[in-house]
Structures are given as structure tokens and as C-alpha cells.
Amino acid sequence: MQYAPLGRTGMTVSRYALGTMMFGSVGNTDHDECVKIVHTALEAGINFVDTADMYSTGESERIVGKALRGRREAVILATKGHFGLEEGLNRSGNSRRHLLNAVNASLRRLGTDWIDLYQVHRPDWSTDLEETLGVLTDLVREGKIRAFGCSTFPAHELVESHRVAETRGLMRFRTEQPPYNLLARGIERDVLPVAERWGMGVLTWSPLGFGFLTGHHRTGAAASARARLRPAWFDPENPQVARKLAVAEELAQVADDLGRPLPALATAFPLAHRAVTSVITGVRTLEQLRATLEHVDLVLDDAVLDRLDAIVPPGTDVYDPQSPMPLPWLTDPALRRRTAPTG
């Protein structure tokens, strides 16, 4: 296992991080197996565990807390807050009110006195960055979190956050957690250069492209279990899906030539970028973790990266990884149109 500095936080993390989104009701409901997954990862040298309060509505955090009993000091523990775990006003977002409640609730579920890296899970366009950075700065000074970062922020918001921190005397976002894979390279245009310029750690998620880089979805192959569960996502009659399948075929050939499975190639790819600190591998089963650990030695050389660039050019998105969370000024016409004068 290799390690890297987590931005300028002074913490050192494994280049493969264990993601726990699939722990609990949305994935693996066997708590004992999930605990074993965490322990196996730690024994393999992974020291970085990432979760979020909204994963299985807090169940993932409770499982992680159980798994880290007696092992907490050896682990860099990250979690996230932003989404509401229940309906109601003021129960989501990046306000002082919500984040104070969210951090305290995460500490209880995780069974720990501190969180090494707390991340706001998405931007909140209704809350001033000064408000968000202010409460996170206070939480560091109180000792409840050691550092804080953000997830899936556009480049302009990263720049603005550093400007606000500097002008208001607040602490900065130290990390960014964006989606990044061989089918979604858009962050190479701006997010990664901005993060590198500001010395931010970068923790990438979705290395397998929402399943298209697992090797289970091939042109002409029988539908996988995931495709049967969400047929619209994998419908080959959809031009975007057909494009993803065609590109995945080309990428699979590169993996075959390396003598490695496609998921190994896909997971190693983000780590080839100089701005990326760790890749988050969100496994559901112990078998999936062991398969990942078999290939942590894979380092892509220039010849392989040139082949990948030829298939998916740098900065290109074969699909839009942000589509589940569209920017409001693109979806709401009132935010981009001048009101026509009346009378």
C-alpha cells in the first residue's frame, strides 16, 4: 500500500480509501460482514475510511463506528453532512444550524470524540460560504473535527471559498471529493488544477463509472443484476448508454493487454493524475474488497495513459457525473433570464 499527504492537513492517508456507501440497507445489510470488510482493509494497509451521514440514513456510520472500536487511533476517519436524514425545514444544507446538529449526530453514531476530515457533501447555493466556513472553523477549534473539505464543488466555488476564507480570517476547505473515472474526466479541465494550486487533497469517487467499468456490462451481453434492477440506466437503445458501452469495450481491451481486469485499470486511473491523493473504493462485499486489494500495485505508465487518452481525451465526459445534482441556474430559467419590462 502506498501513502500520500492529505493536502496540507499534515495527515497521511493510503492511496486507496475504503468507501462505505454500500454498508447498510442500500447495500450490504450484514453488519458482521461489513465490519470484517473494514478490518480486512485495515490489515491490508488502508488507513483511510470514508462514510457519510446519509448512507443508509446513518446506518453506515453506526457500522463503521462498531468496526473501529479499539482501532480508532490508527485510522483517518472521514464523514460528510449536507443531506437531510428526515423531512422538515432546516434539516439539510450547509447552514450553521444544520452542520452543528449533523456533526454531533455523526459523532454519536460513529462512537468517537473526533472526526479527522468532515466534508460538506454538496454545495448549498442558499447559504453564504462565510456561514459554512465559519461553523466548520469553530468545530475545528472545539476539537470535534480535525480538518474539513467539500465534495462535488465546481471549480469557481472552490476559488470563492478560498477568497472568503482569506478575507474573513477563516479556515479553508482542505480537500475536495469529486467524481472521476475513465468515462468522466471533466474535472481535469478546472477542478483538479484549482485543487492543486490551492494545495487541496483530492479524494475521487465512482472509479467504476456507476458500474460501466466493472466489466459486467458489455455490448451484446446478458443483462446483469444491476441492469435488471435499473433497466433505464443500462438500456443500449439509449445513445448515451450505447456510447458508454462502446468506450468500455475499448478500455477493456487495454486492461486485457495489461493482463489485468477492467476494474483494476479503472481504479488505478485516478491515481495517475498528479493532483489526486486517494481513490475511494466503495465495495459491497468482502470478495469485492479482496479483488481490489489484489491490484493495488498497478501503476499506469505513459504508454498506457496515452492509449487511454486516445480513447477518452483529457477533460472529456462520456456521461455527466453531475446529472443527479444539476446546477440550479441551468434548470431554473428565472436564474438566467432577465425579466422583460412590463407596461
Side-chain angles (χ1 to χ4, degrees):
M1 187 62 60
Q2 295 184 345
Y3 302 86
L6 182 59
R8 295 175 183 164
T9 65
M11 293 182 278
T12 300
V13 295
S14 50
R15 302 214 68 202
Y16 282 76
L18 179 65
T20 64
M21 185 178 74
M22 300 306 294
F23 286 8
S25 60
V26 301
N28 191 336
T29 58
D30 185 337
H31 286 206
D32 290 339
E33 182 180 11
C34 292
V35 167
K36 191 170 183 180
I37 289 171
V38 175
H39 291 174
T40 301
L42 299 183
E43 290 159 7
I46 290 176
N47 76 334
F48 191 16
V49 178
D50 180 80
T51 186
D53 60 5
M54 60 90 67
Y55 295 165
S56 294
T57 321
E59 188 180 1
S60 174
E61 286 187 326
R62 287 190 288 272
I63 294 170
V64 170
K66 186 188 306 182
L68 294 185
R69 288 174 189 163
R71 303 171 185 246
R72 179 67 185 89
E73 290 286 348
V75 174
I76 301 299
L77 176 59
T79 192
K80 300 180 282 293
H82 166 84
F83 295 104
L85 273 63
E86 54 188 15
E87 294 183 0
L89 294 174
N90 302 308
R91 295 181 180 179
S92 63
N94 300 341
S95 69
R96 173 175 290 271
R97 186 183 195 278
H98 177 66
L99 291 180
L100 283 174
N101 290 337
V103 167
N104 287 327
S106 287
L107 288 168
R108 289 192 297 270
R109 284 189 293 267
L110 291 164
T112 184
D113 294 329
W114 81 97
I115 295 162
D116 294 294
L117 176 66
Y118 190 78
Q119 302 151 101
V120 289
H121 211 153
R122 289 293 187 276
D124 178 359
W125 308 112
S126 65
T127 301
D128 265 356
L129 276 169
E130 182 177 356
E131 176 86 1
T132 302
L133 295 174
V135 65
L136 293 172
T137 297
D138 290 345
L139 286 163
V140 171
R141 290 170 177 165
E142 291 172 17
K144 292 184 177 181
I145 64 178
R146 299 294 189 251
F148 56 84
C150 50
S151 176
T152 322
F153 272 45
H156 66 82
E157 194 75 351
L158 295 179
V159 173
E160 178 66 4
S161 75
H162 286 282
R163 184 196 68 81
V164 170
E166 183 173 355
T167 58
R168 297 293 187 266
L170 300 170
M171 299 180 71
R172 307 170 185 270
F173 285 133
R174 291 300 187 184
T175 62
E176 159 62 11
Q177 187 177 132
Y180 183 42
N181 59 63
L182 279 164
L183 298 176
R185 301 183 59 173
I187 65 169
E188 294 173 349
R189 293 192 300 266
D190 45 24
V191 170
L192 291 180
V194 166
E196 186 174 23
R197 177 176 295 180
W198 285 100
M200 300 176 73
V202 176
L203 321 166
T204 65
W205 56 272
S206 192
L208 301 184
F210 291 100
F212 279 90
L213 299 176
T214 61
H216 299 150
H217 308 286
R218 306 291 291 269
T219 303
S224 67
R226 183 185 293 216
R228 291 192 296 271
L229 181 65
R230 297 182 182 273
W233 285 19
F234 300 94
D235 180 5
E237 298 301 317
N238 181 318
Q240 186 182 77
V241 172
R243 172 64 176 151
K244 285 189 280 189
L245 290 171
V247 172
E249 287 291 330
E250 295 184 71
L251 296 172
Q253 184 59 59
V254 177
D256 288 345
D257 292 345
L258 285 173
R260 304 274 189 158
L262 179 56
L265 172 69
T267 305
F269 168 73
L271 295 175
H273 197 289
R274 50 186 269 173
V276 173
T277 307
S278 298
V279 59
I280 298 172
T281 56
V283 301
R284 180 176 56 84
T285 68
L286 189 58
E287 289 72 23
Q288 290 174 347
L289 174 64
R290 287 171 173 159
T292 298
L293 292 173
E294 286 180 11
H295 299 281
V296 296
D297 65 315
L298 178 58
V299 177
L300 306 183
D301 61 24
D302 286 345
V304 172
L305 293 171
D306 287 344
R307 289 184 65 184
L308 298 177
D309 287 351
I311 297 170
V312 181
T316 299
D317 284 332
V318 178
Y319 73 96
D320 181 7
Q322 308 284 24
S323 58
M325 292 289 293
L327 296 172
W329 47 86
L330 297 183
T331 57
D332 183 354
L335 297 179
R336 63 177 185 275
R337 296 177 183 171
R338 291 185 182 275
T339 303
T342 57

